[in-house]
Amino acid sequence: MQASMLIVIIVCMMCVSTVLAREDRLARAREEQNSGLYITCGAEDSEPDM
């Protein structure tokens, strides 16, 4: 009985770890996408005045 409970706890911890890692990757991808859009929008429209 105790061994099966330990297995269930380990599986649950693995699932939580997987979900948290996925959320971290999604957050990083959103940051990279948003920063890239901000940089490209400002760089395309700007021309030096001479």
Side-chain angles (χ1 to χ4, degrees), residues 1 3 19 23 33 35 46:
M1 183 73 175
V19 169
E23 290 295 322
Q33 184 180 17
S35 66
S46 62

Side-chain angles (χ1 to χ4, degrees), residues 8-46:
V8 168
I9 291 171
I10 290 172
V11 169
C12 288
M13 289 177 65
M14 289 172 55
C15 290
V16 169
S17 175
T18 302
V19 169
L20 291 176
R22 180 174 168 241
E23 290 295 322
D24 185 45
R25 282 185 302 211
L26 287 173
R28 287 183 188 180
R30 270 188 229 115
E31 287 176 9
E32 288 177 10
Q33 184 180 17
N34 288 341
S35 66
L37 288 175
Y38 177 74
I39 291 170
T40 56
C41 288
E44 288 179 359
D45 294 333
S46 62

